[in-house]
Amino acid sequence: MSGKIRLLILGLTSCLFIGCAVNPITGQEELMFISEKQDLEIGQKYAPEIEKQLGGKIDDESLQNYIDSVGQRIARISHRPNWEFHFTAVEHKMVNAFALPGGHIFVTKGMLKKLTTEAQLAALLAHEIFHITARHSSAAFSRQMGLSFVLFGLSAAGAKIPQDASRAAGIALQLIGLKYSRVQEKQADVAGLDYMVAAGYNPHGAVELHQMLQEQDKVRPVEFLSSHPSPKNRIISLNARIQTRYDSPEGLRIGKNAYRTTVLDRLPSIVDPASDGLDHLTN
Ligand SMILES: [Zn+2]
């Protein structure tokens, strides 16, 4: 039997016995080792640990409600409008954002300080929301944790998810470092742009977000870009899509004043993003 045929059979049987997920963009079935129910279990189990690793929740209810309201507006028009999403601003100084299986999205204080409009925040959250709705996060988790962990470490009821604190912390770090493929990043850029416009946001916020990240990256490597392969034409692709699909964004929300008063004016200044001693997060 040739290697290709063997792989095909393995793929088909794996699909039958383990499961497939339909990519909402391509409509194609993709091999998926964890169920949507297990997504929720992973999120519920590790979100508190990840929040802790990222310096804890920013203690500002108005700011949290604002981030959540922007995220929920986008989540409701996403491919999974009925899924429960949670948006949390965390204290960490690095410039980054994370999406966990099960609908948990974290954005760091370092990132929030670098944004200047609500539309830029919407672009960031829309990109992360798509990683969840397309189950990129679930696929990356199963790939990084290994098939054996996923099959035998997670029970259907989640009862075997490791309970000891150090193991949970290790897994939380793996979740923070989830890596996506270039194709998945491109899909998240495209779908994120469509999501934010559908939610009423000016798409130029997405271009501004990526311009900021690239500028930051020249000064100091930006973790968001290290976990998100950044082809040079990413901004060009976004601009091209805006020109062909959204060439009249007048009237769509930018939200500069709202972002300044609800986020920037409420966040104390950050001394030095490099001095936080959490280099492992960039791996
Ligand atoms: Zn991404």
Side-chain angles (χ1 to χ4, degrees):
M1 194 186 297
S2 80
K4 262 188 184 167
I5 293 172
R6 205 175 298 141
L7 263 181
L8 183 66
I9 291 173
L10 180 68
L12 287 174
T13 52
S14 300
C15 254
L16 284 174
F17 292 113
I18 299 168
C20 285
V22 176
N23 183 305
I25 288 295
T26 62
Q28 289 175 338
E29 289 205 327
E30 294 171 347
L31 201 58
M32 184 64 71
F33 299 133
I34 48 180
S35 66
E36 289 181 17
K37 188 165 174 278
Q38 287 172 325
D39 277 0
L40 294 175
E41 289 163 8
I42 293 166
Q44 278 168 8
K45 170 74 186 173
Y46 295 109
E49 181 63 32
I50 287 173
E51 190 179 297
K52 206 168 90 188
Q53 300 262 355
L54 295 173
K57 199 171 173 172
I58 295 175
D59 185 20
D60 185 327
E61 207 179 325
S62 299
L63 185 147
Q64 295 289 356
N65 288 341
Y66 177 69
I67 308 286
D68 188 67
S69 70
V70 174
Q72 297 299 346
R73 197 175 304 155
I74 300 162
R76 296 290 76 81
I77 54 78
S78 74
H79 290 94
R80 316 278 192 181
N82 299 321
W83 281 10
E84 198 174 309
F85 280 83
H86 310 265
F87 300 89
T88 309
V90 286
E91 286 282 356
H92 208 284
K93 296 165 187 173
M94 69 179 166
V95 179
N96 216 343
F98 309 92
L100 237 68
H104 295 262
I105 289 173
F106 297 92
V107 54
T108 62
K109 190 200 278 188
M111 176 68 86
L112 291 173
K113 292 284 287 180
K114 294 294 176 192
L115 304 178
T116 55
T117 70
E118 190 175 307
Q120 293 168 12
L121 173 68
L124 176 72
L125 297 181
H127 178 104
E128 296 299 326
I129 287 170
F130 186 77
H131 280 318
I132 289 175
T133 60
R135 302 194 65 219
H136 292 164
S137 310
S138 315
F141 178 77
S142 41
R143 193 173 57 244
Q144 277 176 225
M145 294 308 294
L147 184 57
S148 60
F149 174 88
V150 173
L151 288 179
F152 304 111
L154 287 171
S155 72
K160 289 180 186 168
I161 290 175
Q163 297 298 317
D164 67 283
S166 63
R167 181 110 195 267
I171 291 165
L173 276 176
Q174 295 240 26
L175 280 162
I176 288 172
L178 287 184
K179 300 270 192 295
Y180 305 116
S181 72
R182 213 164 268 266
V183 171
Q184 289 174 329
E185 286 306 332
K186 202 172 166 125
Q187 288 179 348
D189 278 356
V190 169
L193 195 69
D194 294 345
Y195 279 2
M196 70 182 291
V197 175
Y201 287 103
N202 189 307
H204 290 290
V207 176
E208 291 161 10
L209 166 70
H210 284 279
Q211 283 169 338
M212 178 280 283
L213 291 170
Q214 292 203 344
E215 281 304 307
Q216 285 300 306
D217 203 45
K218 286 178 195 163
V219 183
R220 176 177 290 119
V222 173
E223 289 82 357
F224 184 82
L225 294 181
S226 74
S227 60
H228 291 63
S230 179
K232 280 181 187 161
N233 64 359
R234 208 161 170 182
I235 291 173
I236 297 170
S237 302
L238 284 169
N239 270 324
R241 191 169 179 84
I242 290 171
Q243 270 171 15
T244 53
R245 293 183 64 130
Y246 308 117
D247 65 337
S248 306
E250 298 84 15
L252 290 174
R253 184 166 171 77
I254 296 172
K256 192 166 185 166
N257 285 340
Y259 191 81
R260 182 172 48 75
T261 55
T262 323
V263 179
L264 295 177
D265 289 354
R266 302 174 75 94
L267 288 178
S269 59
I270 292 171
V271 181
D272 181 4
S275 65
D276 55 34
L278 278 170
D279 290 337
H280 57 275
L281 293 178
T282 66
N283 294 334

